[in-house]
Amino acid sequence: MLAKKLVTAQKRGETRALCLGLGMVTCSMMMYFFIGITIVPFYTKSVWTIETVCKVLKANIKEKVLCPDIEGSEEEDTFPYPCLQVWVNLTASGQEVMLYHSEDTVEKNPKCSYVPDKLENSKEVKARIEKIASNFKKYHIFPCYYDPGGTQTNVILSRLYPTKGLLFLFLWPTLMFTGGCLIIVLVKISQYFSALSAWQ
């Protein structure tokens, strides 16, 4: 009687462990799919892939512009902000090019190097842009990214999805997938040895 109870408890535990492993594998595949359709296209679309060194030539704050400065934008989504323009010397080619904060900045407003988030306090926006301009003048040599193909003559300060960040995103589903597969394999090995011992 006790042996039957132990066997039943063992089978329940194996079933739960197997369901856990299958659940982990399923969740990891869903995470792979989500990352593949949302983040990977933005990463592959970016042409600023080579890192180099940029030296600031000038950083000027011009008159206020509307954000975003793109076609088809609704008026309620626009707000005025000071336009910061940063020009740098690209070490790789020696050219004088315009610096943008990220790929997103180029799409939002190609006239300005930095596009702030929509804030109600215009003084806070102005203070932030002035601080960024002073930092560029203070730290005038820094790493940046350029387009080796030459389709984009400008450079960006940071990529939205760098290679290390993308690998880090894939790390968690990979660990979950590996753990799930390991649990399934251990359950199958346990079932095999149980059946072997019962046959003997």
Side-chain angles (χ1 to χ4, degrees):
M1 189 69 180
L2 182 61
K4 289 184 178 181
K5 289 184 178 179
L6 289 174
V7 171
T8 303
Q10 183 180 4
K11 288 184 177 180
R12 287 179 180 175
E14 289 175 351
T15 303
R16 291 174 181 174
L18 192 60
C19 290
L20 175 63
L22 291 173
M24 291 174 66
V25 171
T26 304
C27 289
S28 64
M29 296 304 292
M30 292 175 63
M31 292 173 67
Y32 277 129
F33 178 75
F34 179 76
I35 295 172
I37 64 173
T38 56
I39 298 177
V40 172
F42 288 103
Y43 174 80
T44 55
K45 183 182 176 182
S46 177
V47 294
W48 297 273
T49 55
I50 305 300
E51 184 176 350
T52 185
V53 177
C54 288
K55 183 178 180 180
V56 175
L57 298 175
K58 53 185 176 181
N60 301 324
I61 299 177
K62 295 197 172 184
E63 70 281 353
K64 289 187 177 181
V65 296
L66 291 178
C67 173
D69 190 13
I70 55 177
E71 296 181 359
S73 60
E74 299 179 1
E75 292 184 1
E76 60 182 11
D77 294 333
T78 63
F79 65 98
Y81 65 94
C83 183
L84 171 65
Q85 292 184 344
V86 180
W87 293 88
V88 298
N89 183 16
L90 186 61
T91 305
S93 61
Q95 295 178 332
E96 181 179 337
V97 295
M98 190 168 177
L99 174 74
Y100 295 95
H101 181 255
S102 64
E103 301 96 332
D104 196 31
T105 309
V106 182
E107 295 181 1
K108 285 184 177 179
N109 190 350
K111 296 180 181 178
C112 304
S113 298
Y114 175 75
V115 177
D117 297 328
K118 187 174 181 180
L119 298 174
E120 295 181 0
N121 191 349
S122 59
K123 292 182 179 179
E124 185 178 346
V125 174
K126 184 179 179 182
R128 180 187 298 181
I129 292 177
E130 289 177 350
K131 184 178 180 181
I132 293 173
S134 64
N135 286 336
F136 275 121
K137 293 176 182 178
K138 184 177 181 182
Y139 307 102
H140 56 279
I141 298 177
F142 49 85
C144 59
Y145 296 90
Y146 75 98
D147 175 19
T151 56
Q152 292 286 346
T153 56
N154 45 55
V155 295
I156 61 173
L157 180 62
S158 61
R159 301 183 66 185
L160 288 175
Y161 302 104
T163 305
K164 291 182 179 179
L166 193 65
L167 292 176
F168 183 76
L169 286 176
F170 277 109
L171 175 64
W172 297 110
T174 302
L175 291 176
M176 185 179 292
F177 180 82
T178 305
C181 291
L182 185 61
I183 291 174
I184 294 173
V185 170
L186 291 175
V187 169
K188 291 299 181 181
I189 292 174
S190 175
Q191 289 177 345
Y192 172 76
F193 281 111
S194 297
L196 185 65
S197 60
W199 179 78
Q200 289 178 350

